[in-house]
Amino acid sequence: MTAPVISVSAALPPVARKNILRYLGMGRAEEDPAVAALIDACLPEFALAARCQACYMELPVFTKDRVIDFGAMRVESASLAKNLEGCQKAILFAATLGTQIDLQRRRAAVTSPARALVLDAIGSAAIEAFCDQLCSEWEEKYPDLRFRPRFSPGYGDLPLEFQKKLLEVLDSKRKAGIVLSDALLMIPQKSVSAIVGMGHTGCTMRFHDCSACSKKDCAFRL
Ligand code: SF4
């Protein structure tokens, strides 16, 4: 029997300002007053347009060499096999902020490219925040298990094409309104699909952000 796919709708979580600045390429710079004013002006309208939706399923994980068998599907990837080493199960998910923010950004691009850039950076930071929130909820559900950093198609040697299978198994079109273009881009644009391994060893940081983590010798680093 295939595991059920669960749909989730949520309010937009708080979006970390430092992440918005990071996506604007200003992560280390002093915040510019004009940029700060633009972020403050864009945030409320972005929040009105964003619709957080996700779908996920829990599947068993069997790894043998570089082949990962989720029961419902198999994939070959040495990088993902390393990420899931020692995991008994994994959550496969897709999350999005909806189509309205894509339209909002396209409309803004016509009148103010700067506003469109800021809306784009807010969107990137916001989908990250939504994924972090989903992972935190799953971690609360399984307090005895440790989670691995999210692993998306296209990371390491996991082919981007695997996204097609992943979204198909998740029935993401019906369950979260996410489809894949012929060029393998997710629509809506601010969407993420990923695999989160669960085992008795794993990441010890709250948000699993390897790029910001000082544990250089961590076995699970992405
Ligand atoms: S490097 Fe840090 S954030 Fe990444 S998996 Fe290891 S402990 Fe977690």
Side-chain angles (χ1 to χ4, degrees):
M1 197 176 79
T2 320
V5 179
I6 299 166
S7 292
V8 179
S9 299
L12 182 70
V15 185
R17 201 169 179 97
K18 69 171 173 41
N19 287 342
I20 300 172
L21 291 167
R22 180 161 60 84
Y23 282 112
L24 282 170
M26 305 171 85
R28 285 167 200 275
E30 186 93 345
E31 194 171 334
D32 178 84
V35 173
L38 205 46
I39 293 174
D40 290 337
C42 288
L43 268 173
E45 55 181 288
F46 177 88
L48 277 179
R51 296 282 173 279
C52 297
Q53 275 190 291
C55 56
Y56 70 94
M57 71 198 302
E58 292 177 23
L59 289 176
V61 173
F62 306 97
T63 43
K64 191 163 187 288
D65 303 325
R66 41 183 294 137
V67 177
I68 306 108
D69 188 343
F70 294 104
M73 62 182 165
R74 290 163 68 134
V75 65
E76 213 178 306
S77 159
S79 320
L80 181 60
K82 181 171 175 277
N83 174 273
L84 295 177
E85 202 180 301
C87 288
Q88 294 77 43
K89 52 184 180 175
I91 291 177
L92 280 60
F93 80 96
T96 186
L97 301 177
T99 50
Q100 285 306 312
I101 58 161
D102 289 352
L103 293 174
Q104 182 183 59
R105 197 174 51 251
R106 262 183 245 133
R107 277 198 297 264
V110 177
T111 52
S112 165
R115 236 179 101 243
L117 266 180
V118 168
L119 285 168
D120 186 64
I122 293 174
S124 299
I127 187 68
E128 198 175 311
F130 181 37
C131 292
D132 286 344
Q133 177 173 283
L134 289 168
C135 288
S136 295
E137 285 168 9
W138 295 326
E139 284 177 56
E140 277 169 29
K141 186 174 164 193
Y142 294 107
D144 298 337
L145 293 177
R146 287 263 188 87
F147 281 58
R148 303 287 164 86
R150 297 190 282 275
F151 204 102
S152 290
Y155 283 5
D157 64 353
L158 181 64
L160 193 58
E161 291 73 27
F162 179 61
Q163 193 149 248
K164 208 168 166 184
K165 189 79 201 157
L166 186 55
L167 295 185
E168 210 174 279
V169 166
L170 287 167
D171 194 11
S172 66
K173 183 178 177 182
R174 255 179 6 104
K175 300 282 185 177
I178 303 171
V179 295
L180 206 56
S181 75
D182 292 342
L184 299 176
L185 294 173
M186 277 188 284
I187 304 166
Q189 196 192 325
K190 296 302 176 190
S191 301
V192 162
S193 69
I195 296 155
V196 185
M198 295 179 274
H200 292 290
T201 56
C203 178
T204 50
M205 304 302 280
R206 182 139 184 260
F207 286 128
H208 318 293
D209 181 359
C210 299
S211 63
C213 182
S214 60
K215 298 191 176 186
K216 301 289 178 218
D217 61 346
C218 173
F220 309 109
R221 172 173 279 277
L222 283 187

